[in-house]
Amino acid sequence: MTDAPRLRILVAKPGLDGHDRGAKIIARALRDAGIEVIYTGLHQTPEMIAEAAIQEDVDAIGLSILSGAHNTLFPAVIELIREKGGDDITIFGGGIIPEEDIPALKQAGVREIFTPGATTDRIVAWVRENVRPRS
Amino acid sequence: MSAQPRLVPPPSSKGPVRRFSTVSDMEIKECYGIEDLDGRDPALAIGRPGAFPYTRGIYPTMYRGRAWTMRQFAGFGTPRDTNERFKFLLAQGQTGLSTAFDMPTLMGYDADHERALGEVGREGTAVSTIDDMAELFDGIALDEVTTSMTVNCSASVILAMYFAVAERRGIPMTKLGGTIQNDMLKEFIAQKEWISPPAPSVRIIVDMIEFCTRHAPRFHPVSISGYHIREAGSTAVQEVAFTLADGIGYVQAAVERGLDVDAFAPRLSFFFNVHNDFLEEIAKLRAARRLWARLVRDRFGAENPRSLMLRTHAQTAGCSLTAQQPLNNIVRVAIQALAGVLGGVQSLHTNSMDETLALPSEQAVMVALRTQQIIAEESGVTNTVDPLGGSWAIEALTDRIEAEALDYIERIDRMGGIVRAIELGFPQKEIAEAAYRFQQQLDRGEKVMVGVNRYQADEKPTIDILRIHHEVEEKQAARVRAFKAARDQARVAARVGDVRAACRDGRNLMPFLIDAVRDGVTLGEICDVYRDEFGVYRDPAWL
């Protein structure tokens, strides 16, 4: 073990869809990897997610969405996070997200998008490599 | 598609002892024989087709008498877009309609609501008003085709709109045939689209069962669904157990309302998943039928044979499909559909190959429908009833799934019934556990998904997918705003008041809902009354 501070990650479900199988698996895999995980539960508005991220002082937010509303909701979350001074929170996401939507989402500030078939190991490794504790 | 397979051989059979198990991780023996049937004569245990306990099917002649209904789930964009898809599917030989609604409709928000932002018309079609419903079924003979509508917490409003549209066209409710999913218990367990807590949700469902039993006797007022339970990651046994436990919950609540079980149970229908594991799925459907027949007879004293019959729609497993090498999904769907047919379903939806990427394109839907037609008209499996009945492996698995599902149901009984079990998070946690276990097995390579963790290829999918443009949302929201502005506002307020009063005093909601939607009250407005009167359920967010 190193004495680096433990990472804190908010796993969040924006939008109205109830498909939480993926979000819960990722949350558990991150937790099993020794990361502190806060799970928002379903049907969160961008405001609720941004609020929770700031309040819980997380290092990253993992957004999961399977309703097709990612192009609206991911940028909305990012904008609110920035407004609240959370510019250095790393944002990643996953779900049913068509390949051609990914560049624009990355442009908007989503660092990485995981699509169906991504293994939990790969996601955990990516988080370890790319998320740094906020000072 | 130009996919270069990577030259990596599959793991050899040498090394640690291989486990042979189903998708649900049920261990399978090397060979089954009569000794696996506990000395019972299968001919006596399974009964005859069309006779108690219906292991072999609910009808004596099964598909020789009538093929299953080929019912492809469809819905996207505006009601007009979906109406066109319906007409296309009917023209291709589909025999029933099945409607997908978008997330705002499913969660009880109008298209112009703030929470609908980015979601309108994406996962299904947008219906906020009676005019939307009229457009959805424009030019379709509602007294000739049967219509399935997949909607739950706002189902009472959608059904009221359907009845009101039929009335506008002069079609009496007694002539309407179809199914509304309306299964809230599985929403709390698995699909997780809800408005109010379990108790008032069940009250609304019983209102609908009561109303349909009296006034729309050809309509199935609830479709007790295992599909979503399985998609959320359950095992086959859990799918049977939690679905039938939900069914028991509804029958119990309706009986407590004073309804005669033999008056409504014949109109209950089911909806199961058909996953990849061929033998397990066939056994699962047979086990579910037999267990339901026994439960309804023994627990509720039903005497009408039709009360004991588990009629079911099935859909191939969306969660089994892969975004990688999407054409492979055609093969998965064919195997699953064949299992559904050999398991004796009454109606079937076959998924399209592109559904892990987006809503299905017309071409993909066509292949999916043709898959069913090939099974029905070319494969020959429909010539005889339950052809796998009597197979030692199938019968042993059927027995085992039935016994293990009953064990779960008895655990739920001891908790105080399914509503209490849901409040405790029991089925939810069991499913999350199974889903996590499967993912770990997949990540370790113990379970295989071709193209995902074995036989991968470097590729970019090149199939065309259906895209829903943002204009749909603007158009639909504008349409709802214009509809709201043109109503008799005093009348609308009075109708909303009537619905609120019925929520409070316990009168059956359905007549009030039909009056309300006829006078222009919207889906969102009625669901707001539910939110006010019954409260809003929040996700306990168990991990």
Side-chain angles (χ1 to χ4, degrees), chain B residues 231-429:
Chain B
E231 288 292 298
S234 84
T235 64
V237 165
Q238 289 169 345
E239 181 188 357
V240 172
F242 300 148
T243 307
L244 300 197
D246 289 346
I248 294 167
Y250 297 127
V251 174
Q252 185 71 45
V255 167
E256 281 167 11
R257 176 76 65 91
L259 300 178
D260 170 15
V261 65
D262 282 321
F264 70 84
R267 298 311 290 171
L268 298 176
S269 66
F270 285 81
F271 173 24
F272 282 98
N273 196 296
V274 207
H275 211 294
N276 275 335
D277 202 290
F278 192 67
L279 302 181
E280 182 175 56
E281 292 303 286
I282 295 167
K284 177 190 82 183
L285 291 164
R286 299 170 89 250
R289 265 197 306 274
R290 186 159 72 199
L291 184 52
W292 182 247
R294 288 177 174 158
L295 289 167
V296 177
R297 184 191 66 176
D298 298 345
R299 295 192 174 195
F300 300 103
E303 288 169 0
N304 181 349
R306 294 177 43 78
S307 299
L308 310 179
M309 294 178 189
L310 182 151
R311 287 157 291 276
T312 192
H313 173 66
Q315 178 170 338
T316 58
C319 64
S320 72
L321 303 186
T322 64
Q324 296 76 9
Q325 306 174 37
L327 293 175
N328 296 346
N329 293 330
I330 297 174
V331 181
R332 293 189 178 95
V333 167
I335 292 169
Q336 296 164 5
L338 187 59
V341 169
L342 291 171
V345 303
Q346 278 59 60
S347 158
L348 183 62
H349 166 103
T350 33
N351 285 327
S352 299
M353 61 173 148
D354 52 359
E355 287 187 53
T356 58
L357 304 167
L359 290 184
S361 68
E362 213 162 82
Q363 188 206 18
V365 173
M366 179 102 92
V367 174
L369 176 60
R370 294 287 182 258
T371 304
Q372 294 197 42
Q373 291 163 334
I374 290 167
I375 292 171
E377 299 183 38
E378 295 185 14
S379 78
V381 296
T382 57
N383 288 337
T384 186
V385 178
D386 188 32
L388 300 186
S391 142
W392 289 311
I394 288 287
E395 297 303 347
L397 284 175
T398 303
D399 289 353
R400 184 162 160 201
I401 293 173
E402 183 187 11
E404 291 185 13
L406 180 61
D407 187 57
Y408 260 122
I409 289 171
E410 287 171 348
R411 283 169 75 183
I412 291 168
D413 291 339
R414 288 193 292 274
M415 289 175 196
I418 189 65
V419 171
R420 185 68 194 128
I422 288 169
E423 286 166 358
L424 295 170
F426 173 68
Q428 298 94 312
K429 290 173 193 166

Side-chain angles (χ1 to χ4, degrees), chain A residues 31-42:
Chain A
R31 199 178 62 185
D32 287 355
I35 294 165
E36 210 172 321
V37 175
I38 301 126
Y39 173 53
T40 62
L42 289 160

Side-chain angles (χ1 to χ4, degrees), chain A residues 15-21 24-25 27-29 31-32 37 39-45 66-69 71-73 96 98-101 116-121, chain B residues 103-104 107 109 115 117-119 122-123 190-194 230-233 319 323-324 356-358 432-433 435-436 438-439 443 452 460 465 467 539 541-543:
Chain A
L16 297 176
D17 77 283
H19 302 101
D20 60 359
R21 178 176 177 169
K24 286 188 167 186
I25 285 174
R28 283 189 61 170
R31 199 178 62 185
D32 287 355
V37 175
Y39 173 53
T40 62
L42 289 160
H43 311 141
Q44 302 289 298
T45 61
L66 290 94
S67 75
N71 289 334
T72 306
L73 295 176
I96 303 281
E99 196 70 38
E100 59 266 41
D101 290 354
T119 62
T120 53
D121 290 349
Chain B
M103 287 312 314
M107 289 290 286
Y109 296 107
R115 293 236 50 183
L117 213 64
E119 311 256 15
R122 290 197 182 275
E123 267 194 353
Q191 185 164 246
K192 298 169 181 174
E193 287 146 21
W194 50 57
R230 193 67 183 278
E231 288 292 298
C319 64
Q324 296 76 9
T356 58
L357 304 167
E433 199 56 46
Y436 192 52
F438 178 78
Q439 185 64 43
D443 289 351
V452 175
K460 285 274 167 227
I465 62 169
R467 296 197 68 92
D539 184 7
W542 285 297
L543 280 185

